[in-house]
Amino acid sequence: MFVHSQESQQQECSCPVEREELDRQMDIFPDKATERKILSFKIKCSSDGCDWTGELREKEDHLASCSFKLVSCTNEICQVTIQRKELEEHATNSCQWRIVVCDHCNESHPKCLIQDHVERCEKKPVECPNSCGEIIVQAEIASHTNDHCPLSVVYCPYAQMGCNAKIQRKEVETHLQSTMQLHLDLACTTFKETTGKLEEKMNSLQLKQEELDKERITLREQVKELTAKNVALGAKMAAQEKEVSVLRSESSKFVWRINGFSEILQRAISGTEREIYSEPFFTGKMGYKLSVCIQPNGNQSHKYKYLSVNLRLMKGTYDNILAWPFHYKVTFTLIDQQDDVSWPWRENVTQSLISRGSKLTSDVSCSMEGIARFVSHKVLKTRRYIVNDTVFLQVEIGPPT
């Protein structure tokens, strides 16, 4: 409607007699005389049964109060339409969706649903299902029949001793009086059986105690022997620790500059050369001999998505005086080559691992541990990890935390 009104105002308008163009703002105005004439027309109310007549201008005021006009029921959900003069009676007394209150719990529900609620109402008074004559609320029926009703059938208090009688609660005392000798015999039999089982348990425990005493003596002898061995081993380890204490306290860093990275990655993708190795380096002057291996296209389980890194432990000159197994923290860092090194402009990629305790043997020249998903190809191509086709990878060796 708004668009249509704008379009009509933008169209040219001319006088129907002289055909001269008219200015909508200056030459056109509402015809108030015709409006008053139309509003004075006599009309009759369209509601069935209403005899009202009046001028057209009075229509809205009349309909707002017309007793015969059809209106919707004021109760929620009710879809009934009814004449206004009957609305109050319908909404208050005959509407099936009017709200009424439960006589037992005072909860409010629609009239058409109140009966279903009353049937399930937990506070509705009902007779005991055993017909003991007591009136109780519906929510307490189970408690009454299980714990209080005199007509409920229960087991004899001596059921655990062998009495199989089932009697009404009100007859329990009579039953106990009439079967006193039977219950006494059952109690005696149960006592004898329990005493016999207890003696068997005591004998069994005595045998176990004797076996434990023998084992305790044997263990003491073994502990003495192990203690002596541990003292000797501790002295040997202390000597070794003293020799390599410098290596344990110092951390070692190695930075690998990898040139021509794009060609290396293509060879890995094509399968020509799946991995490349750095030159060997040592952790300190007399340390472990190590080398770094990268798999630019990932290992077998993470192909085509990640660059994998590995630390290679090699046979070295000083292996005989070093502590084994090799159990250190290894931190790999892909260096972001941003000009500004302050945070947050430089975002290095860093991941660490703790060596599982690798140990070289005479028939193994090297062993490797690494991180399969060190950095994804997608991240590798962001920021300035690759500059002038060159990548810098730092490896730091430190004691495990």
Side-chain angles (χ1 to χ4, degrees):
M1 293 297 293
F2 178 74
V3 175
H4 176 72
S5 175
Q6 281 190 329
E7 291 177 351
S8 63
Q9 291 182 6
Q10 293 173 358
Q11 292 177 354
E12 293 183 0
C13 182
S14 59
C15 176
V17 178
E18 299 178 355
R19 303 298 181 184
E20 293 183 0
E21 184 176 347
L22 300 178
D23 186 330
R24 289 182 178 272
Q25 302 297 326
M26 302 295 295
D27 300 328
I28 299 176
F29 55 89
D31 189 346
K32 293 295 184 180
T34 302
E35 181 182 1
R36 286 193 294 271
K37 183 177 180 179
I38 293 173
L39 292 176
S40 65
F41 287 166
K42 295 291 183 180
I43 62 171
K44 181 181 183 301
C45 179
S46 59
S47 300
D48 290 341
C50 183
D51 297 331
W52 178 87
T53 59
E55 293 184 351
L56 178 59
R57 62 170 52 86
E58 300 170 350
K59 176 184 176 182
E60 295 302 325
D61 291 339
H62 168 71
L63 291 178
S65 60
C66 179
S67 299
F68 295 90
K69 179 176 174 58
L70 292 177
V71 294
S72 297
C73 177
T74 55
N75 290 321
E76 248 184 277
I77 306 177
C78 182
Q79 304 295 321
V80 170
T81 55
I82 194 170
Q83 289 184 334
R84 183 179 278 116
K85 64 179 182 177
E86 300 173 355
L87 176 61
E88 184 176 357
E89 170 64 22
H90 169 78
T92 306
N93 299 317
S94 60
C95 179
Q96 291 299 305
W97 290 99
R98 69 185 186 278
I99 301 301
V100 294
V101 177
C102 174
D103 295 333
H104 309 303
C105 66
N106 293 325
E107 289 186 7
S108 299
H109 296 275
K111 173 64 176 178
C112 57
L113 302 178
I114 191 66
Q115 190 57 39
D116 290 340
H117 165 74
V118 170
E119 293 296 326
R120 295 179 284 103
C121 182
E122 292 187 348
K123 295 186 178 181
K124 176 185 176 182
V126 294
E127 292 184 2
C128 171
N130 293 332
S131 301
C132 71
E134 188 169 344
I135 303 298
I136 51 179
V137 296
Q138 197 158 227
E140 297 178 1
I141 289 177
S143 175
H144 170 75
T145 55
N146 292 335
D147 303 323
H148 307 290
C149 180
L151 300 184
S152 294
V153 176
V154 296
Y155 285 100
C156 171
Y158 287 84
Q160 291 185 342
M161 293 186 179
C163 183
N164 298 321
K166 293 182 180 179
I167 49 179
Q168 289 184 329
R169 182 177 279 111
K170 67 179 182 179
E171 297 175 352
V172 169
E173 290 299 327
T174 303
H175 169 73
L176 292 176
Q177 291 293 331
S178 63
T179 56
M180 186 179 298
Q181 185 60 46
L182 173 63
H183 292 159
L184 182 59
D185 293 341
L186 290 173
C188 291
T189 301
T190 303
F191 176 75
K192 290 179 181 179
E193 291 176 352
T194 304
T195 303
K197 291 178 181 178
L198 181 60
E199 289 179 355
E200 290 179 3
K201 287 289 184 182
M202 291 295 291
N203 293 334
S204 177
L205 287 173
Q206 183 65 33
L207 292 175
K208 288 288 185 183
Q209 184 64 45
E210 293 174 359
E211 292 177 1
L212 287 174
D213 290 341
K214 292 179 181 179
E215 291 179 359
R216 191 178 293 111
I217 294 172
T218 303
L219 285 173
R220 285 175 182 171
E221 295 175 353
Q222 292 177 348
V223 166
K224 289 181 181 179
E225 184 178 347
L226 287 174
T227 301
K229 291 182 179 179
N230 285 337
V231 170
L233 181 61
K236 183 178 180 181
M237 290 179 62
Q240 291 180 342
E241 286 290 336
K242 185 176 180 180
E243 292 178 355
V244 297
S245 59
V246 176
L247 294 177
R248 287 188 175 276
S249 61
E250 295 181 350
S251 64
S252 300
K253 290 184 180 179
F254 170 71
V255 179
W256 183 14
R257 177 188 176 117
I258 307 172
N259 298 319
F261 183 77
S262 59
E263 182 177 351
I264 292 172
L265 178 60
Q266 288 301 318
R267 289 203 303 268
I269 293 174
S270 65
T272 305
E273 187 176 12
R274 300 183 186 277
E275 53 191 26
I276 62 171
Y277 296 86
S278 74
E279 62 185 19
F281 64 96
F282 289 85
T283 58
K285 293 182 180 180
M286 294 182 295
Y288 301 92
K289 185 177 182 181
L290 306 169
S291 177
V292 183
C293 169
I294 68 167
Q295 295 165 308
N297 200 35
N299 60 19
Q300 293 296 323
S301 58
H302 297 89
K303 273 189 176 181
Y304 314 122
K305 294 182 179 179
Y306 294 89
L307 180 145
S308 303
V309 294
N310 301 277
L311 182 70
R312 184 170 66 160
L313 183 61
M314 307 173 68
K315 292 184 70 65
T317 307
Y318 308 102
D319 290 351
N320 291 337
I321 65 172
L322 296 177
W324 296 99
F326 179 86
H327 186 57
Y328 286 80
K329 180 180 180 181
V330 182
T331 302
F332 297 94
T333 302
L334 176 64
I335 299 176
D336 183 359
Q337 302 174 52
Q338 295 284 354
D339 294 333
D340 189 346
V341 299
S342 60
W343 187 90
W345 305 111
R346 176 169 286 186
E347 295 182 5
N348 297 334
V349 176
T350 300
Q351 289 198 55
S352 301
L353 64 85
I354 302 297
S355 173
R356 295 187 299 269
S358 301
K359 183 176 181 180
L360 294 176
T361 59
S362 58
D363 58 329
V364 179
S365 60
C366 64
S367 62
M368 292 203 308
E369 292 180 288
I371 302 172
R373 296 193 293 181
F374 175 61
V375 62
S376 67
H377 289 173
K378 182 178 180 180
V379 172
L380 183 63
K381 296 177 181 178
T382 61
R383 301 186 62 80
R384 290 177 63 80
Y385 297 120
I386 305 174
V387 178
N388 297 329
D389 207 20
T390 299
V391 171
F392 286 90
L393 179 65
Q394 175 183 289
V395 183
E396 182 174 3
I397 311 298
T401 56

